[in-house]
Structures are given as structure tokens and as C-alpha cells.
Amino acid sequence: MQTNEDAGMVLLLPFSPRSISRFFFEAYFFEYMEVQMKAVVQCGGRGTRLRPHTSILPKPLMPIGARPVLELVLKWLRRNGIGEVFVTTGYLGHLIRSVCGDGSQWNMQITYTQELEPLGTIGPLSLLREQLNEPFLVLNGDVLTDLNLNQLIHNHRKSDANITIGTSVRSTKMDFGVIDEIDGRVTGFREKPELTNLVSMGIYCMNPVVLERIPSGVPFGFDDLMFQMLEEEARVNVFKHTGLWLDIGRVEDFLKAQDIAWDEQSSAFATAAA
């Protein structure tokens, strides 16, 4: 309680100067220090949707303007406070290592893994069991987004879920007329409807306990992990993102990315405001 003796009255404050200082310190910590965690960038895929271009380059090195998409992803992570990154490689992995090196040019540390045989979309994490001993990020190496990592990580840490999936809403135009029927009788018809779904962005927060579910040396997809956890009724959360998200593995998104000025300070790919 604070008093004003000169004025002959008592001024009641809901908190002390010390608690005010603590409040602003915690606010600063959340805004600038929350994202200090390791990230795994998945770069082992063959990029079949972008063939024939990916016959020469791995998908994460496909150019967006004058720079490879993986460079944009790594710089975005660094601006968000991520300094230690593991890059999982497989197909044409030597090219990725040659381009990105040890990460020192972006003031970050990059360590690589190499798949001798394809391990699926989540199997490569089995190669990093010892290194991932705290909550960590996982993302595909071909994702461009303005997702706020502070908010994603805070949302995950305050929950009791072992996985939080970054999600976005996508609409898909059907190429066919859709028929509804009951016992062979048509009850409805929609001509090439547009279906809207909540989809995974390919960005996740995970706790180390998840690694116990991933087998070693065999292909294991994120779908396998989800089916397993849902069958066991293990909690998985979503973080809904309403901003920019492009999956460069899709031709449509790859072409759309070429029309965006990927300036590092632009709103399109800078750290989103909290």
C-alpha cells in the first residue's frame, strides 16, 4: 500500500512498484525471450509436386525471387529469436549443406542429419532424440508465413498438450459435381463446390515425450503419429493462424510467392505484431 502523507490521505494502489516492475519484466520476457528454443527444419523430401524443377534442386532450395526458400525460412526463424536449428536432409542433401553451411552468416547454428533411406514426414526426428530434450519447434523447409512464434509457443507452453499444430483455413475447389444420396435416391446436388477446411501448416510445437512414439530406421509420417495419439486419446491442440501461409511445394503457392516482395522487413514475412 502506498501513502501520500503530505496530502493527508492514503492512496491505495492495486499493486506495488515492485510488482509493476515485475509485470513489465515478464511482458518483456514473453515478447522477446519466449521463442528461445530449438527448431527442426524438415528438408528431406523429394519435391515431387514441383517436378521437373526438383530433379536438379531439392525443394527447399527452389528460388523465391533471387533467394532459396530455405534461406527465407532460416532468416525468419532468426528474426523470431531462434538461434539453434537442426536441418534434416535426404534427397540432394549435400546441396542444402553447401548453400546454408553452419549458419554463421545468419548468426545461427545449423546442425544437419542425413537420411540414408526416406524416413517419412516425422521419422527424421528419431535421429535427434538426445538433442531435443526440451520443447521444440518442427517445420517444413518450404513454408512461408507471418505466423507469430511468440504466440504459438506461449499457447503450447500454457497447455497440457504434447503437440500444438499451427493451422490455417484453406478452401479447395472440387472439380466434380457432388451428389448427396440416401439408399440410392439423390437428396442433394452441388456443382463443383468449394470446400473449406482447417489444415495443418506444417509447423508444430512438440514436447520431447513425443519422440518416444517415433520408431527408428523406418518411415513414419505425421499422419501415423496423429492416428496413434488420437486412438490413445492423447491431447493434441491447434493454434489457428489467420495471416499469410504459403506451401511452396504446391505449384500455385510457389507461383504466388514470386509476386510478393520478400523484403526482410516487410509485413509479409516480418515477425508479426503480438
Side-chain angles (χ1 to χ4, degrees):
M1 181 177 70
Q2 302 301 302
T3 64
N4 187 334
E5 296 179 355
D6 293 336
M9 64 180 180
V10 176
L11 179 64
L12 298 177
L13 296 178
F15 33 68
S16 67
R18 177 177 295 180
S19 66
I20 295 175
S21 298
R22 180 178 178 182
F23 169 80
F24 282 110
F25 171 78
E26 290 179 348
Y28 173 89
F29 184 88
F30 167 71
E31 179 67 22
Y32 297 103
M33 302 301 292
E34 181 80 35
V35 293
Q36 294 295 326
M37 64 165 52
K38 300 172 183 177
V40 180
V41 182
Q42 304 265 56
C43 296
R46 301 186 69 88
T48 54
R49 292 175 295 174
L50 292 181
R51 285 179 177 171
H53 308 292
T54 48
S55 298
I56 301 172
L57 288 175
K59 184 171 54 174
L61 296 187
M62 290 295 292
I64 305 298
R67 290 175 290 179
V69 59
L70 181 56
E71 179 179 335
L72 295 175
V73 171
L74 292 172
K75 288 181 176 179
W76 171 70
L77 285 173
R78 191 67 193 97
R79 287 197 306 276
N80 274 273
I82 304 297
E84 186 173 359
V85 175
F86 298 91
V87 175
T88 66
T89 65
Y91 176 68
L92 298 179
H94 64 286
L95 295 179
I96 294 175
R97 291 190 291 273
S98 296
V99 170
C100 299
D102 61 3
S104 57
Q105 67 269 45
W106 303 307
N107 193 30
M108 68 193 327
Q109 176 186 329
I110 298 178
T111 302
Y112 298 91
T113 66
Q114 177 68 40
E115 301 172 40
L116 300 180
E117 296 291 339
L119 295 179
T121 53
I122 211 71
L125 295 183
S126 65
L127 304 174
L128 294 167
R129 298 186 195 279
E130 295 183 4
Q131 293 87 343
L132 301 175
N133 53 7
E134 297 177 350
F136 57 93
L137 287 167
V138 181
L139 65 153
N140 297 339
D142 58 354
V143 169
L144 296 180
T145 181
D146 58 2
L147 174 71
N148 190 315
L149 287 182
N150 272 320
Q151 294 178 354
L152 170 64
I153 293 169
H154 180 71
N155 182 278
H156 176 74
R157 284 178 168 165
K158 74 178 183 180
S159 75
D160 58 356
N162 283 321
I163 299 179
T164 299
I165 307 172
T167 62
S168 182
V169 173
R170 273 288 173 101
S171 296
T172 305
K173 182 73 171 179
M174 293 288 293
D175 292 330
F176 308 97
V178 175
I179 297 173
D180 301 317
E181 61 85 26
I182 297 178
D183 296 330
R185 180 175 179 177
V186 174
T187 59
F189 180 81
R190 289 164 288 163
E191 175 61 17
K192 299 180 180 179
E194 190 171 88
L195 305 180
T196 300
N197 296 283
L198 188 68
V199 301
S200 169
M201 297 171 61
I203 300 178
Y204 321 97
C205 267
M206 296 186 180
N207 292 339
V209 67
V210 173
L211 299 174
E212 298 174 6
R213 298 177 175 272
I214 302 175
S216 297
V218 296
F220 192 76
F222 187 73
D223 54 337
D224 297 315
L225 179 61
M226 284 299 94
F227 293 142
Q228 182 186 110
M229 295 185 72
L230 291 173
E231 183 178 352
E232 298 175 9
E233 298 185 350
R235 181 162 181 171
V236 179
N237 282 1
V238 299
F239 179 82
K240 297 180 180 180
H241 176 58
T242 58
L244 176 73
W245 170 58
L246 296 176
D247 171 8
I248 302 304
R250 299 177 69 249
V251 174
E252 178 184 349
D253 283 5
F254 175 70
L255 296 176
K256 186 181 299 184
Q258 307 301 328
D259 296 329
I260 298 177
W262 295 104
D263 184 271
E264 292 177 18
Q265 302 306 318
S266 71
S267 59
F269 203 53
T271 304

